Amino acid sequence: MVPFDPDRVGRVPGGDPPLTHVLIVGVSRYTFFEGGAREGDAREDWGMGQLTAAALSACRVAEWFLKRYRNPDAPLGSLRIMLSPQDAELPAEFAAQAPVAATRANFVRAFKDFKADCERHRDNVAFVYAAGHGVQLTKHGAILLLEDAGDPDGDTSLHGAADFVGCHRGLDHGCSAGTQFWFLDACRQRPEIAPRFEIMKGAFVPDALPGGARASHLFLAASTGQSAFARIGDRTLFCEALLESLDLPGAPSALCPEWHVSAHRLSESLTTRVAKLAASEGIEQAVHPTGNTTEAIVHRFQGVPKVQLSICTNPSDVQPHASLSLRLGRNQRIPGVPTSLPFSALVDAGIYAVSVTAPTLHEPYLGTIDAKPPVTHAELEVEV
Amino acid sequence: MSRAEEQEDEEQEEEADPAELGQLSVSLSSASMFLQDHLAFDVRDSAHRPVGPRMRGPQTLDLAPGLYSVDAVHEDGSRWSAVTQVRPRTTTEVHLFGSSEKKQPGPRSAWVNRAQPAWPVDLQFLGSGGLESCPAEGPEFAASSEGVRCVPNADGSFDAEVGRGSALPAWACFTRKGEALVVMLPVNTPVWTHDTVASRATIRFLERSHLRAVVELDERRRVLIALRSRVERGMIGEASELARDATALLLEKYSDPVGAAFGALFLHRIKHLDAQADWVANLANGFPWLRDAQILRASLQARGSAAEREEAFARLRDGLIGFRVALFAGTVPYFLFSEAFSLALSLLRRWPADDEHRDEREELILRFAPLANRYDYGSTFAQLNDTSKPEAR
């Protein structure tokens, strides 16, 4: 599967240390749906068309894993990606590698290999992200339609589909990756179509095995229609919210001494961000967190994250003659930061004691600022 | 270095002795004794490192002098954070309030004794029903107009207030421009509690392309409100902690089986319900009309022996075809929570023994799956849209 060079992420040949394995699927091009290369050959008319951003969104998620993902306990070990893009949808670096198409046959093969990798170590971490047409009648199930959905040569009506929740169950067992994160970024189908899928057989689903992972988070997100799925030519709304959330560090905790993204904070961030993004587009989209939601670490940051801290005073006319002092935790003076107001600089996240002196101030201003990433703005109410 | 900075440095040196600890006293007040003891908070140092595990209830901590933050989640789900300074040999107090805002009585309270305003032209109340209108053995609710009032807002919109008087509706139906909306209501009724006032709820209609509403609970149902706000905001950690503690309490002490069912449905969704199987059984047996609890019980029993699966299937089938709301062109099952309907369909589709009741399950799926498109899964309390012409019964 491409694009992935194991040497770039330090896979240990022959060894089996805990690793992170990633499976990514993005389906924008549907051969047998309206506008597809063989739309006239479809087994039946499902009334579905082409998508514009699912494959691109999958690329963006893959890029994030290749460039930003960090987990010292289970570094990135494999990344499988299947893409069925529209013409010119993919970024050049992905298009140049002739990505594997997201067909049923390729999905089954990739999933089995991915499953085998995950089962090599109990401390492995598994990530699955899939974007494309979906069928979701309940909060508890979802079917992902692959490029060859509707293929008249398929064994059943749902031959070109994968039971996403069934795949989640198939990997959530006692001998698989102990920590798992699943994301389904689906364009939910129109109401007339969806009920038929509940009794149709044939979507790919692996066998369920006993036991369970320590944590196996499943985030199901379904937009209410094709137009709500993504901005044209851009990422899906869910992908945008996911990538923003993955780059939003949370403070150290009892579970992780480093700044990190935890599964619980990711759930909260995804839920609120997707709702906010959807509202800004005048649509509705909800995220449904489910699965075994025991707390787990998704991503770790190296060192203390920087915060874009800006400080001003109210009233503002004292600023030209004022002097600012920042101390981290009251003790540590911060060298090299400006002392003038208004203040704007990148500083370490933390709680700062702040003081402002100026000839026109009744008395020096003393206060605190909790600088949290990515941006913190403080307006200091000073007495003139 | 300015003189002010020099003074600061001198102060720091005086305070810098780590042996000279100070105290941070954190307390929380809520109108709910339960939440007062159960809402959690974190204390972090100036580098945002936790100074200990998550805490609950009043706490006094011995800490080195410095700056600290106290972080908590309000009852309404909003996050709250305060920065404070701990000084040597001094106790610093931080007080958290359960609510993020104090609700002031507004024009709505004054409206209570006035005449009933007319419903707006484009939004009509069609009917409502309550448990008391349903004979013990009867399968359907009858419609009535009791217990639902139109409330005009200052911005020109309208809400519906439910739960006044003794006829407390379990659901209400509205129409707008040919579209019908049934809203299931999380009422408490005099059937099991004398506190009818706390049964009030407000249906707030949203500006959407389709008829849609949000159900707001009477603020005295604080535990359910706190739980719901966490679930709806995706706060699975905070929600699961609260649900584990609150559901048994809601069932046994406060007699809010609706709240208990909501907590249990959430715990089921995140696979944390198995340990609570006993009180799920109590909930299902004690409140047979609460179909959500029957489905939950069925989902747990379905993983048992063949005999247990038989009982589970009977519960599942009865849950779907038992109490119904008959305002649509057809009828809809009476589930308070969309999650319960979703779980029922999911159980039918993924029955643990695939060869059991296969034909009957398929028939039920075909019958009820079309309803899934009318459920608004973004809404906690079940609400169904229908563009077919509704007829009141």
Side-chain angles (χ1 to χ4, degrees):
Chain A
M1 299 292 159
V2 291
F4 177 60
D5 176 1
D7 294 336
R8 286 175 56 190
V9 291
R11 183 167 192 168
V12 182
D16 276 320
L19 294 169
T20 294
H21 299 286
V22 181
L23 177 66
I24 294 176
V25 185
V27 193
S28 293
R29 182 184 67 230
Y30 285 87
T31 305
F32 299 98
F33 292 173
E34 186 180 346
R38 295 179 58 196
E39 65 172 308
D41 299 335
R43 175 186 279 262
E44 54 190 312
D45 180 14
W46 285 351
M48 300 182 197
Q50 306 295 310
L51 297 176
T52 59
L56 176 62
S57 298
C59 292
R60 296 300 182 216
V61 173
E63 273 178 343
W64 184 88
F65 274 101
L66 292 170
K67 293 177 180 173
R68 301 186 62 83
Y69 177 67
R70 180 176 177 271
N71 181 350
D73 294 336
L76 187 58
S78 72
L79 189 152
R80 295 175 171 81
I81 183 165
M82 284 163 285
L83 300 170
S84 292
Q86 299 295 343
D87 292 342
E89 182 184 353
L90 295 188
E93 62 271 30
F94 283 85
Q97 298 193 52
V100 171
T103 60
R104 160 88 175 220
N106 289 338
F107 182 86
V108 171
R109 187 163 50 245
F111 188 83
K112 285 180 177 172
D113 292 346
F114 170 72
K115 184 167 178 280
D117 273 348
C118 289
E119 289 168 351
R120 287 207 177 103
H121 202 295
R122 189 75 176 101
D123 292 330
N124 279 344
V125 177
F127 281 90
V128 180
Y129 171 86
H133 274 300
V135 180
Q136 189 181 3
L137 266 187
T138 71
K139 289 181 174 181
H140 300 79
I143 289 172
L144 173 71
L145 300 185
L146 299 164
E147 181 189 325
D148 50 350
D151 187 345
D153 297 327
D155 297 334
T156 65
S157 294
L158 279 186
H159 176 78
D163 182 337
F164 195 77
V165 173
C167 289
H168 172 254
R169 290 185 183 194
L171 204 68
D172 184 11
H173 64 82
C175 297
S176 188
T179 306
Q180 304 179 13
F181 304 98
W182 295 67
F183 306 91
L184 178 61
D185 185 0
C187 174
R188 190 162 76 177
Q189 281 322 297
R190 62 191 178 123
E192 297 76 16
I193 298 292
R196 296 163 53 197
F197 287 87
E198 283 296 295
I199 55 168
M200 288 163 69
K201 304 285 185 188
F204 169 69
V205 55
D207 292 336
L209 297 170
R214 285 188 295 273
S216 185
H217 294 256
L218 172 60
F219 298 94
L220 299 174
S223 65
T224 48
Q226 208 158 305
S227 61
F229 187 52
R231 300 182 179 104
I232 299 294
D234 202 344
R235 301 170 295 182
T236 64
L237 301 184
F238 179 81
C239 175
E240 190 173 332
L242 174 62
L243 295 180
E244 284 178 4
S245 300
L246 288 171
D247 279 336
L248 190 64
S253 68
L255 201 61
C256 178
E258 296 176 286
W259 284 76
H260 62 278
V261 177
S262 77
H264 288 177
R265 287 307 289 256
L266 178 65
S267 170
E268 181 183 346
S269 178
L270 265 180
T271 303
T272 53
R273 279 168 190 267
V274 166
K276 192 173 175 183
L277 283 172
S280 71
E281 298 286 315
I283 57 173
E284 289 181 46
Q285 188 172 1
V287 176
H288 194 66
T290 181
N292 174 358
T293 60
T294 301
E295 180 64 304
I297 303 304
V298 181
H299 172 52
R300 297 184 185 194
F301 293 81
Q302 197 155 24
V304 177
K306 294 292 183 185
V307 179
Q308 182 64 51
L309 176 63
S310 60
I311 304 172
C312 64
T313 62
N314 182 21
S316 61
D317 55 5
V318 304
Q319 291 183 157
H321 311 291
S323 175
L324 173 79
S325 167
L326 280 180
R327 292 166 181 268
L328 183 58
R330 284 189 60 80
N331 294 322
Q332 183 185 339
R333 193 176 293 282
I334 314 299
V337 299
T339 57
S340 58
L341 284 166
F343 172 95
S344 180
L346 276 178
V347 300
D348 285 347
I351 303 174
Y352 290 83
V354 55
S355 67
V356 176
T357 54
T360 51
L361 287 187
H362 189 64
E363 58 184 21
Y365 173 91
L366 299 174
T368 58
I369 295 173
D370 192 356
K372 292 179 177 176
V375 175
T376 297
H377 175 73
E379 185 177 273
L380 311 179
E381 301 284 341
V382 296
E383 279 189 41
V384 180
Chain B
M1 186 180 293
S2 69
R3 180 59 199 147
E5 288 172 330
E6 286 171 9
Q7 280 180 342
E8 277 184 58
D9 284 343
E10 287 164 11
E11 286 175 18
Q12 298 306 318
E13 283 167 17
E14 286 173 19
E15 293 182 359
D17 184 356
E20 295 284 355
L21 298 179
Q23 287 193 321
L24 176 63
S25 174
V26 183
S27 59
L28 185 145
S29 65
S30 167
S32 160
M33 291 293 288
F34 171 80
L35 292 176
Q36 193 160 301
D37 291 337
H38 284 78
L39 289 185
F41 60 88
D42 295 300
V43 179
R44 298 178 177 279
D45 66 14
S46 60
H48 286 141
R49 293 176 297 237
V51 301
R54 179 166 285 188
M55 288 163 264
R56 290 183 178 78
Q59 298 281 345
T60 300
L61 308 171
D62 293 320
L63 298 171
L67 297 175
Y68 294 86
S69 70
V70 180
D71 303 295
V73 178
H74 281 301
E75 290 171 15
D76 66 4
S78 59
R79 289 200 172 272
W80 182 92
S81 184
V83 172
T84 190
Q85 181 181 357
V86 173
R87 297 175 186 278
R89 306 175 300 279
T90 305
T91 299
T92 303
E93 294 189 353
V94 172
H95 192 71
L96 310 177
F97 293 92
S99 299
S100 58
E101 58 179 329
K102 284 276 182 189
K103 289 188 178 175
Q104 299 296 327
R108 181 162 301 177
S109 299
W111 167 82
V112 170
N113 296 320
R114 296 214 303 266
Q116 161 78 6
W119 288 93
V121 173
D122 67 341
L123 176 69
Q124 291 298 311
F125 169 62
L126 194 63
S128 65
L131 298 172
E132 65 274 38
S133 67
C134 177
E137 69 282 5
E140 294 180 359
F141 295 133
S144 101
S145 59
E146 286 186 64
V148 178
R149 290 186 176 204
C150 173
V151 182
N153 293 313
D155 63 0
S157 65
F158 291 84
D159 295 341
E161 271 198 0
V162 295
R164 296 190 185 283
S166 59
L168 301 170
W171 53 270
C173 184
F174 304 86
T175 62
R176 187 179 68 182
K177 297 174 183 171
E179 185 182 9
L181 177 74
V182 169
V183 183
M184 306 300 182
L185 300 168
V187 296
N188 266 352
T189 81
V191 171
W192 64 86
T193 175
H194 299 294
D195 185 9
T196 57
V197 177
S199 301
R200 286 208 304 261
T202 301
I203 300 170
R204 184 143 293 151
F205 297 97
L206 303 176
E207 290 301 320
R208 296 284 189 272
S209 56
H210 60 289
L211 191 52
R212 169 99 192 270
V214 166
V215 176
E216 294 183 358
L217 300 170
D218 184 283
E219 65 180 20
R220 278 161 287 196
R221 295 175 85 171
R222 289 179 180 277
V223 178
L224 178 54
I225 289 171
L227 189 52
R228 174 191 179 182
S229 67
R230 283 153 176 74
V231 171
E232 290 183 346
R233 289 172 188 241
M235 296 175 162
I236 47 181
E238 284 83 358
S240 60
E241 285 175 16
L242 190 58
R244 271 194 292 269
D245 294 336
T247 37
L249 172 127
L250 288 170
L251 174 60
E252 293 163 12
K253 188 176 176 184
Y254 290 136
S255 297
D256 191 348
V258 166
F262 178 62
L265 279 163
F266 175 71
L267 290 176
H268 179 274
R269 193 214 294 176
I270 62 168
K271 296 191 173 182
H272 289 171
L273 188 63
D274 286 354
Q276 325 282 353
D278 284 348
W279 64 254
V280 171
N282 292 339
L283 185 67
N285 293 334
F287 303 94
W289 59 270
L290 188 52
R291 298 301 167 159
D292 309 68
Q294 305 304 323
I295 298 301
L296 268 174
R297 178 92 167 108
S299 74
L300 296 179
Q301 286 180 312
R303 284 182 262 151
S305 64
E308 285 177 302
R309 286 201 302 277
E310 275 304 304
E311 190 179 332
F313 189 76
R315 281 184 195 278
L316 175 58
R317 182 183 50 216
D318 292 349
L320 280 162
I321 62 179
F323 290 166
R324 287 169 293 168
V325 175
L327 278 167
F328 282 85
T331 58
V332 296
Y334 178 67
F335 290 112
L336 269 173
F337 299 102
S338 58
E339 182 106 14
F341 177 75
S342 168
L343 179 58
L345 274 188
S346 184
L347 264 178
L348 287 173
R349 190 164 182 269
R350 298 174 189 274
W351 193 251
D354 193 47
D355 54 342
E356 287 179 0
H357 301 285
R358 184 178 291 180
D359 292 344
E360 199 173 356
R361 283 192 287 123
E362 194 163 308
E363 188 271 326
L364 287 169
I365 289 172
L366 283 172
R367 188 169 154 194
F368 289 103
L371 274 181
N373 301 306
R374 308 201 192 290
Y375 270 91
D376 182 349
Y377 285 143
S379 168
T380 295
F381 299 110
Q383 53 181 285
L384 297 93
N385 283 77
D386 196 350
T387 50
S388 61
K389 193 173 180 180
E391 292 179 8
R393 290 170 56 110

